[in-house]
Amino acid sequence: MISGLFLTAAKTAATAELLAAAASVSSNKIAFENDSYLLSEIIDREIAGDHPAPPCVSPDGRLVVCCRGSIYNRQSLRSELGLQGDTDGQGDAELVLNLYLQHGESFVDALSGPFAIALYDARQSTLLLYRDRFGIEPLYYSVGKGYIAFSSTIKGVLRMSGEGPALQRDAVAKVLLFNYNPGTDTLLQGVKRLPAAHRLKIAIDQPLDLHRYWKLTFSPCSLSEEEVRHQLLDHLRRAVSSCLGANDRAGVFLSGGMDSSTVLALSGERGVALKTFSYRCRAASFDESHYARAMSDFVRSEHHECEYGSSEVLLMPDVVKAMNEPFCDVGINIATYLLGLNASKNGCSLVLTGDGGDELFAGHPVYEADKIAGYFDALPRPLLAPLLSVFRLLPDSDQKKSLPVKLKRFSESLAYPKDLLSHRWRIYYDAEDLGKLSSASFANGLRWQELLRDILTINGEMTDGDALSRSLYSDYQTVVDFYLRRNDLIRRFGVKVRYPLLDHKLVEFCAQMPSAMKIKGWFDTKYIFKKTMEGVLPDTIIYRKDKLGHSIPLKNWIRDDRQVKEMVLDFVSGDTISRRGLFRPAYIAELINDHLSKRRNNSHRLWTLAVLEMWLRHNLD
């Protein structure tokens, strides 16, 4: 874990008090010139769940480096620099220190893998903070009067800064809209998230300098399909190998879909004894565990399966305690907790996942919806409105992939601004509904269009390229950040997570593929991926048509399971909502009634409200 306090002002009484407060939770303090200090220590093991290496200090005391994560190309870089062995567990920090001496601030370009880095240069009185290209490792900071506090956890920032937690209203509203908070603000005022692929430079008497050091570009290559398939498989093998390293206690989170199955199969090629972990939801039309078992048999892994039934939803108040920030997807929240616990109990120190495959090869249904929406958007609204109105009146279904459910969701989402791209299908409140939900005090000054600004700004950064490339560019900076927050849940068990399909060289290669190789025709998604994996994976895995993607029948459980209903409704009860003062109890009661009567599936809205309340109780009350 990285945590620190960088003081840039003279040691006034207030500064001294702040320093004393930080030192009381610090294991070591390093003093520098110009009354500047850097404190680095372990703050909150409940969230961090790991044992970070201590800072690395240069012999002359000029440089201090704190590093969290894993540099995959560590050994080759150490060899190039002539470094021998890892000293006191400081291998990555020592490497970064020497790279900085040789290349300056651009040293980060040489690194591969997930990392969060803090580097203090006493001669320049400068602090540098870096976060890896996809934001796998978290890094938060807060700027106060004469200081900056930074940490891998929000609680670490608060403890270092001595500030009391206060809600950032816009961030709360964005959680309601998207089930997580995109952008750089967090739910707590003054605490910001360092964006992925960015460097923050803090120098005495200078403004903060936020710099993007890496940007993904989409530009179709001229390679033939055969050449792409050959190079893609090489990239996939290299990426998996880099994540595994020499680890002999590795596991794979296995859903039975192509992404996790590919990671498993290519890991198996290395001859590593693997353990696989999956969950089983026995509800009708939601159980895909037989694919995971079949894939495990194919690779001959030691397979472990955990049950995910309605009773596991009751774990959520405890699961939330490990979250830096609330993110609300019951299929990811609870499943990640169960898989992490299972991996830890079965002796795994490292797990690989297949996350990232949908962005590599346009495998998510939202990209199909984007394609269809392009034709609907071209129609005059007066002609389109009656048809969409009919779709909105369709009842909900207990099934996962019901055609009426799809039509209803499509018709509702089509009304959102098309500039949102794929996020049209991931938003849960329009301006009118958000106004109905919000209390007078919460709604004061809140602007629905402003809540979209983070995503619209990212979407506007790529002005060329086709619609699919623009959506993928956006999703790498938004949706990827959403599902990477599951790391918090796994770290509490002392298990590291690695993402081969987020290897930046692999991602750069796939970004150069023509979109027609990703979606062939109308709906042949992951086309080039499937062709590449022929002969490596069983055809039953490659060409299955019923991938669910972390789907859990929460909507049915809220309606039919007494314990789940009571838990969720307790966190959104009238008394609870009135006490918090953020939302209108009457509107939430309407959401509940519509859901229970099957007029509309409000499970995502109700779950987000419940998880938000759980998080607030743990972090503010």
Side-chain angles (χ1 to χ4, degrees):
M1 178 176 178
I2 289 178
S3 292
L5 179 70
F6 181 55
L7 301 178
T8 60
K11 288 186 287 186
T12 63
T15 303
E17 181 179 341
L18 184 64
L19 179 59
S24 68
V25 292
S26 177
S27 60
N28 79 73
K29 180 179 72 176
I30 305 166
F32 297 101
E33 301 171 0
N34 301 322
D35 293 325
S36 297
Y37 293 83
L38 179 70
L39 292 93
S40 175
E41 56 84 54
I42 303 167
I43 287 184
D44 201 332
R45 288 258 176 93
E46 178 186 358
I47 292 180
D50 55 9
H51 301 276
C56 181
V57 184
S58 62
D60 61 1
R62 166 195 162 192
L63 301 174
V64 181
V65 176
C66 309
C67 190
R68 173 188 172 121
S70 182
I71 308 302
Y72 294 160
N73 57 340
R74 175 197 300 118
Q75 294 307 322
S76 62
L77 290 174
R78 290 181 67 88
S79 178
E80 290 175 14
L81 294 169
L83 300 176
Q84 303 297 318
D86 288 358
T87 58
D88 300 324
Q90 296 178 336
D92 286 348
E94 182 190 26
L95 172 63
V96 167
L97 189 150
N98 281 273
L99 285 171
Y100 176 74
L101 287 172
Q102 186 167 107
H103 301 289
E105 295 176 16
S106 64
F107 74 87
V108 69
D109 296 336
L111 303 181
S112 177
F115 53 81
I117 295 169
L119 189 153
Y120 180 76
D121 188 330
R123 186 174 302 167
Q124 303 293 329
S125 296
T126 298
L127 176 69
L128 301 169
L129 302 179
Y130 292 85
R131 195 170 177 212
D132 66 74
R133 293 170 179 84
F134 299 104
I136 297 173
E137 289 293 334
L139 191 52
Y140 300 93
Y141 68 96
S142 177
V143 180
K145 189 174 182 180
Y147 75 88
I148 178 167
F150 59 93
S151 178
S152 302
T153 70
I154 289 180
K155 282 189 174 182
V157 170
L158 292 176
R159 293 188 191 184
M160 277 288 183
S161 67
E163 301 288 344
L167 274 182
Q168 215 280 30
R169 186 183 50 185
D170 283 10
V172 174
K174 284 185 279 187
V175 171
L176 299 175
L177 262 61
F178 298 106
N179 291 344
Y180 78 110
N181 171 37
T184 59
D185 289 328
T186 69
L187 268 68
L188 301 183
Q189 288 184 17
V191 181
K192 287 186 173 291
R193 186 187 318 109
L194 184 64
H198 277 71
R199 181 269 289 147
L200 180 65
K201 183 176 182 179
I202 307 102
I204 292 180
D205 297 328
Q206 297 293 324
L208 295 184
D209 178 13
L210 184 64
H211 168 72
R212 186 176 192 153
Y213 66 82
W214 180 82
K215 184 176 181 179
L216 185 61
T217 58
F218 287 77
S219 178
C221 65
S222 58
L223 297 176
S224 68
E225 183 177 309
E226 183 179 355
E227 290 172 321
V228 168
R229 289 168 58 182
H230 177 76
Q231 293 187 33
L232 174 58
L233 189 54
D234 286 345
H235 274 288
L236 289 166
R237 284 183 168 131
R238 178 195 50 76
V240 169
S241 179
S242 295
C243 288
L244 277 174
N247 192 286
D248 59 357
R249 297 170 56 205
V252 176
F253 287 168
L254 179 64
S255 70
M258 269 203 72
D259 303 333
S260 61
S261 295
T262 294
V263 170
L264 174 61
L266 299 183
S267 298
E269 288 181 352
R270 289 172 43 87
V272 179
L274 294 166
K275 297 179 181 181
T276 48
F277 302 91
S278 65
Y279 66 85
R280 183 178 189 183
C281 179
R282 294 180 184 271
S285 83
F286 287 84
D287 184 5
E288 55 182 348
S289 59
H290 57 286
Y291 287 109
R293 291 193 295 272
M295 192 62 208
S296 172
D297 291 342
F298 180 75
V299 178
R300 298 181 180 179
S301 65
E302 180 186 314
H303 192 54
H304 300 268
E305 187 176 278
C306 53
E307 292 291 328
Y308 186 172
S310 58
S311 60
E312 275 64 45
V313 176
L314 307 181
L315 294 168
M316 194 61 196
D318 185 56
V319 173
V320 165
K321 294 177 182 178
M323 292 182 177
N324 267 305
E325 303 178 74
F327 66 103
C328 311
D329 185 310
V330 69
I332 296 178
N333 296 153
I334 305 294
T336 298
Y337 179 92
L338 295 174
L339 293 173
L341 176 61
N342 206 351
S344 176
K345 285 183 175 179
N346 285 281
C348 282
S349 59
L350 169 72
V351 292
L352 275 61
T353 86
D355 293 294
D358 282 336
E359 290 74 32
L360 281 177
F361 307 110
H364 198 279
V366 296
Y367 306 123
E368 300 173 39
D370 278 347
K371 204 166 190 178
I372 298 170
Y375 291 90
F376 278 83
D377 288 333
L379 296 175
R381 281 288 160 173
L383 296 178
L384 189 60
L387 179 62
L388 297 180
S389 297
V390 171
F391 288 165
R392 292 191 189 102
L393 295 175
L394 292 170
D396 191 31
S397 166
D398 292 339
Q399 301 300 306
K400 166 62 180 175
K401 293 196 173 183
S402 161
L403 179 59
V405 169
K406 290 181 178 179
L407 292 174
K408 186 179 181 72
R409 179 65 174 155
F410 180 82
S411 64
E412 292 172 344
S413 298
L414 199 67
Y416 294 122
K418 61 183 179 181
D419 289 345
L420 284 172
L421 303 176
S422 61
H423 300 282
R424 292 170 88 177
W425 326 110
R426 301 181 177 114
I427 191 170
Y428 289 96
Y429 291 88
D430 59 18
E432 182 180 359
D433 282 347
L434 184 62
K436 292 177 181 178
L437 172 68
S438 304
S439 68
S441 59
F442 184 73
N444 184 29
L446 203 64
R447 298 291 180 266
W448 185 81
Q449 191 68 26
E450 284 298 306
L451 301 177
L452 310 181
R453 182 175 297 278
D454 294 317
I455 287 175
L456 292 175
T457 298
I458 290 170
N459 292 356
E461 290 174 356
M462 184 176 173
T463 56
D464 54 355
D466 57 28
L468 178 59
S469 296
R470 293 197 300 274
S471 285
L472 294 174
Y473 174 86
S474 174
D475 286 357
Y476 269 113
Q477 298 176 75
T478 52
V479 178
V480 168
D481 176 63
F482 167 74
Y483 63 66
L484 284 176
R485 297 184 189 185
R486 67 190 301 198
N487 288 350
D488 293 339
L489 309 184
I490 303 172
R491 284 195 182 101
R492 72 182 294 179
F493 300 113
V495 177
K496 297 177 182 179
V497 196
R498 293 183 181 171
Y499 301 89
L501 302 188
L502 289 178
D503 175 274
H504 78 275
K505 293 181 180 178
L506 170 63
V507 171
E508 289 172 340
F509 176 74
C510 290
Q512 307 311 307
M513 293 180 188
S515 291
M517 288 190 184
K518 297 172 183 176
I519 302 180
K520 191 174 182 66
W522 271 96
F523 302 122
D524 191 0
T525 58
K526 294 189 175 181
Y527 168 78
I528 194 66
F529 189 28
K530 290 184 283 192
K531 288 296 182 183
T532 299
M533 298 312 295
E534 286 179 348
V536 180
L537 298 180
D539 284 352
T540 53
I541 297 294
I542 296 175
Y543 293 107
R544 57 175 291 200
K545 299 293 185 182
D546 55 349
K547 185 73 179 80
L548 297 177
H550 298 291
S551 292
I552 298 298
L554 179 66
K555 62 179 179 180
N556 301 339
W557 290 343
I558 292 176
R559 290 166 178 156
D560 305 326
D561 186 281
R562 180 182 60 83
Q563 287 184 304
V564 173
K565 181 192 296 186
E566 287 179 355
M567 186 196 78
V568 173
L569 298 191
D570 176 66
F571 282 103
V572 297
S573 69
D575 288 344
T576 296
I577 297 302
S578 296
R579 184 171 60 252
R580 190 68 67 187
L582 301 174
F583 313 121
R584 298 181 188 271
Y587 184 72
I588 294 178
E590 184 180 326
L591 294 179
I592 294 170
N593 291 333
D594 283 351
H595 183 80
L596 296 180
S597 63
K598 297 187 180 181
R599 284 192 293 270
R600 175 173 177 160
N601 174 16
N602 285 323
S603 60
H604 286 85
R605 290 179 168 188
L606 295 173
W607 182 249
T608 297
L609 287 165
V611 172
L612 181 60
E613 173 60 26
M614 296 175 202
W615 189 89
L616 292 174
R617 289 185 189 183
H618 182 65
N619 289 276
L620 263 68
D621 294 352

